[in-house]
């Protein structure tokens, strides 16, 4: 039987990559027959229709809000599964105004969970982030580590994770939570570090580096993240959290060096700016569970992936020009 999957936030960076993975030749049914995808997205500043192939007859795009109880109920009633990406996703915006983050990330998730329960979906994959754990100077967090988020963004994501897990424990809803490290790839909004630096450098501008540039992030290609989500959706266990990491750990300064080189620029193009408030020093997830239970491991080579992303932004100026 053809699966019907509701993908929220499907017009954003990771959601759209996931829809492409689901419907592409390497998707679950590479013969072009399935699954059927209902893509729900509010098209905020971060979402765009042209991130999706709207001509694909297996895809139905719905422009709407995950907070709209009526619409969400109608859509959830028509699907078997939900993969939930929709969120306010930028830490700096959450520092300026946390309200939209609580509404979308917490209340929006609860609206979807209620609908999932009412209509008895088979499973609900909730996409979260490593940022819910806080900051770790050395070592890596296992999934059992207590949550200690530091920004309004990560606090709202932690709230949504805990709600999702509570719907499993209280109601027995099949909820699976993923917590992934920093993603990079094409079609990421230029408010985020890699596209911001690339688009600024190719335009001849200077890039802002927070604080001393010593903050450490683990960079994972968006395609590796999407492949891991598919493993969780198909083979994960109800009520379980899966960390997804294993990318390339770099300080922001090291990453800046690589981006300067890729764009043919030098350190004169870097301006050190006042650090982000509450800037987490380092994130690192232990992804042993995803490896041992699901056979997950990242496949994309970082140097090659980064070079491809730089090329993508060079070649797709029309996609980002209006956003910078
Ligand atoms: P994004 O900002 O590119 O996309 C978010 C999408 O959600 C947009 O298309 C937006 O229009 C949509 N949206 C926002 N509010 C909505 C609402 N009320 N109703 C319906 N749609 C709405 O974000 P992203 O980077 O693609 O992140 C997707 C998910 O993955 C988020 O939940 C984020 O927390 C998580 N995540 C991101 C990263 C990363 O590095 N980008 C890492 C780990 C986890």
């Amino acid at each position: 039987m053809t699966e019907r999957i509701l993908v929220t936030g499907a017009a954003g960076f990771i959601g759209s990559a996931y829809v492409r993975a689901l419907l592409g030749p390497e998707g679950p049914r590479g013969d072009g027959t399935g699954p059927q995808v209902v893509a729900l997205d509010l098209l905020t500043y971060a979402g765009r229709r042209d991130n999706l192939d709207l001509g694909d007859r297996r895809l139905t795009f719905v422009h709407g809000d995950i907070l709209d109880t009526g619409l969400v109920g109608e859509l959830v009633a028509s699907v078997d599964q939900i993969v939930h990406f929709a969120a306010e996703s930028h830490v700096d915006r959450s520092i300026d105004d946390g309200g939209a983050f609580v509404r979308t990330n917490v209340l929006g998730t609860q609206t979807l969970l209620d609908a999932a329960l009412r209509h008895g979906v088979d499973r609900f994959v909730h996409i979260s982030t490593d940022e819910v754990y806080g900051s770790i100077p050395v070592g890596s967090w296992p999934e059992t580590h207590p949550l200690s988020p530091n920004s309004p963004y990560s606090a709202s994501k932690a709230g949504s994770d805990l709600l999702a897990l509570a719907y499993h424990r209280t109601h027995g809803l099949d909820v699976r939570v993923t917590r992934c490290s920093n993603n990079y790839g094409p079609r990421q909004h230029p408010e985020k570090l890699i596209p911001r630096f690339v688009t600024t450098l190719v335009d001849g501008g200077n890039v802002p580096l927070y604080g001393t540039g010593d903050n450490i992030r683990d960079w994972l290609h968006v395609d590796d993240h999407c492949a891991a989500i598919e493993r969780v959706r198909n083979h994960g266990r109800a009520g379980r959290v899966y960390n997804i990491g294993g990318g390339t750990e770099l300080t922001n300064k090291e990453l800046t060096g690589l981006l300067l080189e890729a764009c043919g620029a030098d350190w004169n193009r870097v301006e050190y700016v006042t650090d982000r408030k509450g800037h987490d020093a380092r994130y690192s997830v232990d992804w042993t569970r995803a490896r041992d239970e699901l056979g997950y491991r990242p496949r994309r080579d970082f140097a090659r992936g980064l070079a491809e992303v730089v090329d993508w932004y060079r070649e797709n100026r029309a996609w980002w020009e209006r956003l910078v």
Side-chain angles (χ1 to χ4, degrees):
M1 206 183 70
T2 305
E3 290 166 316
R4 288 183 59 86
I5 306 173
L6 174 64
V7 180
T8 72
F13 164 48
I14 307 175
S16 66
Y18 179 70
V19 171
R20 278 192 297 283
L22 269 182
L23 298 179
E26 291 178 11
R29 310 254 296 265
D31 56 1
T33 58
Q36 292 288 327
V37 174
V38 178
L40 172 62
D41 201 293
L42 186 57
L43 299 177
T44 66
Y45 78 94
R48 352 188 350 161
R49 285 174 204 271
D50 65 3
N51 281 344
L52 294 166
D53 176 7
L54 297 178
D56 191 321
R57 63 186 167 74
R58 297 165 299 168
L59 177 66
T60 306
F61 179 73
V62 180
H63 180 195
D65 195 335
I66 57 167
L67 282 153
D68 180 340
T69 313
L71 174 66
V72 164
E74 206 178 294
L75 297 178
V76 170
S78 74
V79 298
D80 312 304
Q81 302 179 5
I82 300 172
V83 184
H84 173 38
F85 294 90
E88 287 293 334
S89 68
H90 190 38
V91 175
D92 287 344
R93 285 179 188 260
S94 80
I95 293 169
D96 292 340
D97 175 15
F101 287 74
V102 175
R103 282 190 294 278
T104 296
N105 300 359
V106 183
L107 283 177
T109 300
Q110 181 256 327
T111 305
L112 283 162
L113 287 164
D114 265 349
L117 192 62
R118 247 187 352 266
H119 297 287
V121 298
D122 295 345
R123 69 196 69 156
F124 187 116
V125 184
H126 175 66
I127 309 304
S128 189
T129 166
D130 59 358
E131 300 192 29
V132 296
Y133 294 114
S135 184
I136 189 167
V138 286
S140 303
W141 299 289
E143 287 86 350
T144 48
H145 197 277
L147 305 192
S148 184
N150 291 316
S151 72
Y153 162 66
S154 54
S156 68
K157 291 297 292 187
S160 66
D161 278 30
L162 295 177
L163 270 171
L165 293 168
Y167 271 70
H168 170 70
R169 291 193 202 105
T170 307
H171 300 291
L173 186 68
D174 181 334
V175 169
R176 303 153 191 213
V177 174
T178 63
R179 295 185 183 141
C180 189
S181 59
N182 276 42
N183 283 212
Y184 72 98
R187 299 173 187 273
Q188 187 172 29
H189 193 284
E191 67 185 355
K192 306 280 169 50
L193 193 154
I194 290 180
R196 177 158 186 201
F197 278 28
V198 174
T199 55
T200 305
L201 290 170
V202 301
D203 260 357
N206 288 352
V207 293
L209 187 57
Y210 276 136
T212 53
D214 292 325
N215 306 66
I216 295 172
R217 299 292 182 265
D218 171 46
W219 291 95
L220 188 74
H221 196 280
V222 67
D223 291 347
D224 279 327
H225 185 189
C226 292
I229 294 166
E230 267 307 84
R231 286 178 187 260
V232 171
R233 183 176 75 83
N234 290 309
H235 309 294
R237 285 205 241 155
R240 213 127 164 91
V241 177
Y242 293 92
N243 285 341
I244 302 171
T248 300
E249 215 177 278
L250 293 170
T251 65
N252 285 346
K253 206 169 174 178
E254 288 168 334
L255 178 61
T256 301
L258 295 175
L259 292 171
L260 288 171
E261 199 182 323
C263 296
D266 62 34
W267 282 93
N268 292 326
R269 304 276 294 282
V270 178
E271 287 169 12
Y272 286 89
V273 297
T274 309
D275 207 357
R276 169 190 275 169
K277 286 186 194 170
H279 205 174
D280 288 329
R282 177 173 174 266
Y283 303 132
S284 179
V285 287
D286 176 346
W287 48 281
T288 310
R289 176 180 287 175
R291 186 193 64 201
D292 292 354
E293 284 185 20
L294 308 175
Y296 159 77
R297 70 178 172 83
R299 291 176 188 280
R300 298 294 300 265
D301 173 72
F302 183 74
R304 187 179 307 165
L306 194 68
E308 284 170 11
V309 168
V310 171
D311 285 347
W312 189 88
Y313 282 94
R314 279 189 200 280
E315 287 159 15
N316 291 278
R317 176 174 278 275
W319 187 92
W320 55 265
E321 210 161 32
R322 284 170 292 124
L323 305 174
V324 294

